[in-house]
């Protein structure tokens, strides 16, 4: 546009100059013609030749002057318009750039918001002042099971049995929200209602954020259960210790009865100590405070060492224990103390949960890149319904009986934690009344990728 103006001005001046030059040329020609007439009429050649020479000089001078003026004017105009138009041109192109950028920015932001809303795990619904949906993301539709006909605030929340008034939310202060909790099937859902406002603070509608808090509720319940379990587990031996201690203090008993009571007190105290040690171990795992000292070691040797440690219990229950170690099992690379703890727990369980004179077989072998330990007993077994839960903290098949046997219900959950941290695994198969098979796998040094 500005460039056109500049061109137009130059064009006008060019035309003016052409007219000027044409005028000068015509005037010059006219004079030459006059001279020719005079030549014919007066036949005074010398005089006329002089006049012609003069006129030619005048004409040349005039032409040169006109061209010089023309050039000067053109340069002047070009200079002036350039001065004026350069900043204007810059201004226009930057305005254009800003407009383009803004347009791009707006569509980029829109895309970003749409993508965020699409992939958000929390649901979002926005309603206008009439209560009609103006925006809803897939998470909201899924969490609140919104059907196409549920297109208003009232319909959606009436269906969920939430007593909430849109008016009340609209006139809430900025940054405040009202909260409701609903249960939909097995899901626990939190709803946050907040007012939507225009830039000038005029109310524009209501926004609802929907959060699935099922996992949170579950964890919270688990935490409560855990606290209850710990208190219960500690309370039982404490009650027992207090009871026997008081009985001993109150009466005169013979040496045999006293020993019996003292043995119960000692056993209960040991159980409490074990429980506290196990709880501390779990808490250290939970807080990631366990520094593992991984090293290379032979699994067969470790199993034999563990077997020696539990020999008194084996003897006490008159079990027959056989241990088979396959030759050439590659060494494993793991936290030796942790693995020892796992093996001791599995062996102790087999001993505890097998009736007297039972059979326990231990195999140490190697399959693919894992070394494994398999412990098979012909003990009481675990009912199928309980199998999936025995790795849970405090889970015991028969609470009363296992407690009698000195179990805390924490051994297998600790074993699982330890194996997870050593890239290993633990699997239990069992047939109720027939026996149990526990297999643990640990990567060997050959399997460097997993270590
Ligand atoms: P506990 O300290 O009670 O033994 P664990 O976590 O080691 O705790 O085991 C959880 C439960 O799994 C036990 O209480 C027991 O009911 C069952 N269990 C574990 N090993 C065996 C087994 N070899 N035979 C039968 N039941 C078992």
């Amino acid at each position: 546009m500005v460039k056109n103006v500049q061109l137009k001005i130059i064009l006008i001046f060019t035309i003016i100059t052409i007219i000027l030059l044409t005028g000068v040329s015509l005037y010059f020609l006219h004079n030459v013609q006059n001279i020719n007439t005079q030549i014919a009429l007066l036949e005074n050649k010398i005089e006329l030749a002089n006049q012609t020479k003069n006129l030619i000089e005048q004409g040349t001078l005039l032409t040169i002057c006109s061209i010089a003026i023309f050039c000067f004017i053109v340069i002047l105009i070009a200079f002036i318009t350039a001065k004026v138009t350069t900043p204007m041109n810059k201004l226009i192109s930057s305005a254009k750039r800003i407009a383009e950028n803004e347009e791009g920015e707006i569509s980029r932001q829109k895309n970003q918001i749409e993508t965020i809303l699409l992939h958000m795990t929390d649901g979002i619904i926005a309603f206008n002042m009439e209560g009609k949906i103006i925006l809803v993301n897939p998470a909201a539709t899924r969490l609140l099971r919104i059907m196409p006909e549920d297109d208003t605030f009232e319909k959606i929340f009436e269906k969920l049995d939430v007593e909430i008034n849109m008016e009340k939310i609209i006139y809430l202060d900025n940054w405040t929200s009202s909260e409701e909790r609903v249960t939909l099937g097995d899901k626990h859902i939190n709803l946050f209602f907040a007012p939507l406002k225009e830039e000038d603070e005029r109310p524009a509608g209501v926004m609802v954020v929907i959060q699935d808090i099922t996992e949170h509720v579950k964890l919270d319940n688990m935490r409560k259960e855990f606290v209850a379990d710990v208190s219960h587990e500690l309370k039982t031996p404490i009650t027992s210790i207090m009871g026997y201690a008081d009985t001993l203090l109150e009466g005169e008993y013979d040496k045999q009865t006293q020993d019996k009571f003292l043995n119960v007190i000692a056993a209960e105290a040991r159980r409490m100590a074990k429980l506290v040690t196990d709880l501390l171990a779990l808490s250290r795992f939970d807080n990631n405070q366990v520094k593992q000292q991984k090293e290379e070691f032979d699994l067969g040797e470790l199993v034999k060492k563990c077997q020696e440690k539990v020999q008194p219990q084996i003897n006490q229950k008159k079990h027959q224990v056989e241990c088979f170690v396959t030759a050439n099992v590659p060494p494993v690379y793991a936290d030796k103390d942790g693995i020892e703890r796992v093996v001791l727990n599995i062996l102790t369980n087999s001993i505890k949960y097998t009736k007297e004179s039972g059979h326990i077989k231990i195999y140490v072998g190697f399959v693919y890149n894992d070394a494994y330990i398999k412990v098979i007993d012909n003990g009481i077994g675990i009912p199928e319904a309980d199998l999936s839960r025995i790795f849970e903290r405090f889970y015991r098949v028969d609470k009363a009986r296992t407690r009698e046997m000195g179990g805390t219900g924490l051994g297998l959950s600790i074993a699982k934690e330890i194996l997870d941290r050593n890239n290993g695994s633990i699997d239990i198969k069992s047939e109720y009344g027939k026996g149990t098979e526990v297999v643990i796998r640990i990567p060997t040094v050959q399997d460097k990728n997993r270590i």
Side-chain angles (χ1 to χ4, degrees), residues 321-376:
V321 180
E322 287 171 286
C323 182
F324 307 93
V325 181
T326 313
N328 302 327
V329 177
V332 293
Y333 183 75
D335 164 26
K336 198 175 173 187
D337 290 344
I339 301 297
E340 184 178 327
R341 186 180 186 142
V342 175
V343 177
L344 279 174
N345 179 252
I346 294 166
L347 285 180
T348 323
N349 278 353
S350 289
I351 300 163
K352 271 195 302 191
Y353 304 116
T354 301
K355 287 186 193 115
E356 277 199 5
S357 311
H359 287 282
I360 297 167
K361 284 182 187 145
I362 310 164
Y363 297 90
V364 181
F366 173 56
V367 66
Y368 300 117
N369 290 321
D370 289 341
Y372 68 83
I373 304 170
K374 195 187 277 186
V375 179
I376 305 175

Side-chain angles (χ1 to χ4, degrees), residues 54-301:
N54 275 348
L55 277 170
I56 288 171
E57 274 172 4
Q58 272 177 25
T60 316
L61 196 72
L62 261 168
T63 315
I64 290 169
C65 281
S66 309
I67 290 170
I69 292 166
F70 167 71
C71 288
F72 174 73
I73 292 171
V74 167
I75 290 168
L76 193 74
I77 292 164
F79 182 74
I80 293 168
T81 49
K83 268 244 160 175
V84 175
T85 56
T86 310
M88 269 173 92
N89 278 342
K90 272 189 189 163
L91 209 72
I92 288 169
S93 60
S94 54
K96 259 189 199 165
R97 240 190 353 260
I98 290 170
E100 275 167 16
N101 280 354
E102 247 175 33
E103 233 170 68
E105 182 65 18
I106 289 169
S107 83
R108 222 188 67 229
Q109 275 183 3
K110 199 173 156 247
N111 274 346
Q112 276 177 353
I113 291 171
E114 272 170 13
T115 317
I116 292 170
L117 285 176
L118 188 72
H119 297 288
M120 257 176 83
T121 43
D122 284 353
I124 302 258
I125 321 180
F127 298 92
N128 63 12
M129 291 293 282
E130 285 77 50
K132 286 244 181 257
I133 294 181
I134 47 174
L135 182 145
V136 57
N137 73 342
T141 316
R142 183 172 39 83
L143 288 171
L144 297 186
R145 300 171 190 176
I146 299 173
M147 295 291 169
E149 63 271 19
D150 305 329
D151 53 356
T152 62
F153 184 91
E154 239 180 44
K155 280 186 201 166
I156 292 175
F157 295 107
E158 225 173 59
K159 224 169 153 183
L160 295 172
D161 261 344
V162 179
E163 278 184 30
I164 186 121
N165 189 335
M166 212 176 125
E167 298 285 302
K168 235 168 61 187
I169 309 155
I170 287 174
Y171 296 104
L172 275 178
D173 282 343
N174 273 356
W175 315 118
T176 42
S177 63
S178 160
E179 196 182 328
E180 294 282 334
R181 199 175 265 203
V182 286
T183 315
L184 257 175
D186 57 352
K187 284 213 177 307
H188 297 270
I189 286 165
N190 232 7
L191 304 167
F192 292 96
F193 298 85
L196 266 181
K197 303 237 164 138
E198 301 274 11
E199 269 170 27
D200 57 5
E201 293 294 304
R202 263 187 307 126
V206 167
M207 195 182 86
V208 189
V209 180
I210 303 123
Q211 272 181 341
D212 182 355
I213 51 159
T214 315
E215 213 43 42
H216 176 83
V217 172
K218 230 190 239 174
L219 282 175
D220 202 40
N221 288 344
M222 265 167 73
R223 188 185 53 80
K224 283 180 195 154
E225 246 171 63
F226 185 74
V227 174
D229 278 336
V230 173
S231 323
H232 183 74
E233 293 299 327
L234 286 172
K235 199 177 157 235
T236 319
I238 287 174
T239 316
S240 180
I241 290 171
M242 273 166 29
Y244 281 102
D246 287 342
T247 319
L248 275 177
L249 285 172
E250 278 160 17
E252 291 278 312
Y253 296 98
D254 57 47
K255 173 86 173 81
Q256 204 188 353
T257 319
Q258 275 180 12
D259 282 355
K260 199 178 140 199
F261 286 4
L262 283 171
N263 270 330
V264 175
I265 291 171
E268 291 294 335
R270 266 198 296 276
R271 201 158 79 83
M272 257 173 71
K274 186 174 183 307
L275 185 74
V276 173
T277 319
D278 283 359
L279 281 172
L280 279 174
L282 276 175
S283 131
R284 267 189 240 114
F285 282 129
D286 290 346
N287 298 323
N288 271 328
Q289 282 175 349
V290 185
K291 281 211 179 78
Q292 296 199 89
Q293 294 285 329
K294 288 195 181 180
E295 58 187 289
E296 255 182 63
F297 60 92
D298 187 279
L299 207 56
E301 274 173 28

Side-chain angles (χ1 to χ4, degrees), residues 19-31:
I19 293 168
L20 216 75
L21 279 173
T22 321
V24 170
S25 308
L26 282 176
Y27 169 72
F28 180 66
L29 278 174
H30 178 72
N31 278 347

Side-chain angles (χ1 to χ4, degrees), residues 274 345-346 349-350 352-354 377 379-382 390 392 395-398 402 406-413 428 430 436 438:
K274 186 174 183 307
N345 179 252
I346 294 166
N349 278 353
S350 289
K352 271 195 302 191
Y353 304 116
T354 301
D377 64 55
I380 58 171
I382 303 164
I390 49 171
E392 285 175 22
Y395 193 83
R396 284 171 300 197
V397 175
D398 180 345
T402 39
T408 60
L410 292 175
L412 286 178
S413 41
I428 300 194
S430 187
T436 305
V438 185

